[in-house]
């Protein structure tokens, strides 16, 4: 029983990390209908910003997380103004070609600046170690990931579903001309939404260093996981990707623990079954 609870806890923590890293893609793809395969590059940027700030300038971990968010958001604003906004009304194939090209550019820049090796990260003492609860060892940092993910999911749901800004985003996506006629600055709404999505990617990338590692191939290694979370969860709301991330995280950890010889096959098998049963995703757009 202790082993089962431990696997469940690790799976939920891993799933919450997947959600933290995928929620930005859920925002840009689900709300803006833009296929941003460079999402992992913004996550990698947040990770490198966090590492550099902590190692070279002694910035505390929580402060580095905040700055990683803003650095990725600023990079998103710059690229949105220079490149992305010209592709909002283009086909998804054009969007894929643009963003996958940006991924390879980001990989080359990261390799040139930091080399190909993994980047170490030293967590603060308060987030290190373990807690023991009913005979189960709980990693403190994974508890932190669960808490951050829960708070972020609640805050984003409130902002996107119960505020004027969220309504403006949905109106801008559904019919930009009508939204403009109603006084909504569509270009500004898209810019802010894209910045938030990129910032969340950077935050997720910084949070994921301890669990996933960080090297220049990061955007290619994990983009499939990001897409899995959004595809299985659906683009109707943030609840779908959250549920999908937790489900896939538990399935992945349990599969590797109990059936290590199968590897990641269980994860993809569950994805296929879920998409066959609910091709619109766990939570469909209303």
């Amino acid at each position: 029983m202790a082993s089962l609870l431990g696997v469940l806890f690790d799976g939920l923590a891993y799933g919450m990390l997947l959600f933290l890293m995928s929620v930005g893609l859920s925002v840009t793809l689900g709300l803006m209908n833009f296929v941003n395969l460079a999402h992992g590059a913004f996550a990698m940027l947040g990770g490198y910003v966090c590492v550099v700030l902590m190692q070279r300038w002694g910035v505390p971990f929580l402060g580095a997380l905040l700055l990683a968010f803003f650095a990725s958001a600023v990079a998103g604003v710059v690229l949105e103004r220079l490149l992305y906004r010209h592709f909002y009304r283009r086909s998804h194939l054009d969007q894929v070609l643009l963003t996958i090209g940006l991924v390879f550019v980001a990989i080359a820049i990261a390799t040139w600046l930091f080399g190909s090796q993994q980047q170490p990260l030293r967590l603060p003492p308060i987030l290190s170690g373990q807690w023991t609860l009913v005979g189960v060892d709980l990693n403190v940092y994974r508890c932190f990931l669960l808490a951050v993910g829960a708070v972020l999911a609640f805050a984003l749901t409130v902002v996107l579903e119960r505020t004027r800004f969220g309504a403006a985003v949905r109106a801008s996506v559904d019919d930009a001309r009508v939204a403009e006629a109603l006084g909504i600055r569509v270009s500004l709404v898209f810019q802010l939404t894209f910045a938030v999505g990129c910032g969340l990617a950077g935050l997720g990338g910084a949070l994921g260093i301890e669990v996933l590692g960080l090297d220049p191939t990061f955007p290619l290694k994990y983009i499939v996981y990001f897409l899995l979370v959004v595809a299985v969860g659906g683009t109707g709301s943030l609840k779908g990707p959250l549920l999908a991330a937790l489900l896939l995280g538990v399935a992945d950890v349990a599969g590797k623990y109990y059936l290590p010889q199968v590897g990641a096959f269980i994860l993809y098998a569950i994805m296929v079954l879920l998409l066959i049963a609910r091709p619109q995703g766990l939570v469909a757009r209303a």
Side-chain angles (χ1 to χ4, degrees), residues 135-211:
V136 180
D137 292 331
L138 306 178
N139 183 276
V140 175
Y141 187 68
R142 283 168 171 76
C143 292
F144 174 71
L145 291 178
L146 286 169
V148 171
V151 171
L152 185 61
F154 176 77
L156 286 174
T157 300
V158 171
V159 170
L160 295 176
E161 296 184 3
R162 301 184 182 182
T163 65
R164 290 175 61 88
F165 177 74
V169 172
R170 293 191 295 272
S172 300
V173 173
D174 291 338
D175 197 321
R177 290 184 178 179
V178 173
E180 288 277 9
L182 293 174
I184 298 174
R185 298 178 60 185
V186 173
S187 60
L188 179 60
V189 168
F190 277 4
Q191 190 175 74
L192 291 176
T193 304
F194 196 82
V196 171
C198 294
L200 292 172
L203 176 63
L207 288 168
I209 299 174
E210 174 67 15
V211 178

Side-chain angles (χ1 to χ4, degrees), residues 4 7-8 10-11 14 247-268 270:
L4 178 62
V7 170
L8 179 62
D10 286 343
Y14 180 57
L247 179 61
L248 294 174
V250 171
D252 194 30
V253 172
K256 291 177 180 178
Y257 183 83
Y258 292 110
L259 297 170
Q261 67 275 16
V262 178
F265 172 77
I266 292 179
L267 176 67
Y268 296 108
I270 291 177

Side-chain angles (χ1 to χ4, degrees), residues 224 227-235 244 247-248 267-283:
V224 174
L227 293 173
L228 281 179
V229 170
V230 177
V232 173
T235 58
L247 179 61
L248 294 174
L267 176 67
Y268 296 108
I270 291 177
M271 176 206 68
V272 170
L273 293 176
L274 288 174
L275 290 178
I276 290 175
R278 293 188 61 84
Q280 74 277 24
L282 296 177
V283 179

Side-chain angles (χ1 to χ4, degrees), residues 44-45 48-49 52 56 105-117 119 216:
M44 179 178 69
L45 172 62
Y48 277 112
V49 168
V52 170
R56 299 184 183 179
V105 171
I107 290 174
I109 293 175
T111 303
W112 178 58
L113 291 175
F114 302 100
S116 59
Q117 68 273 14
Q119 297 296 316

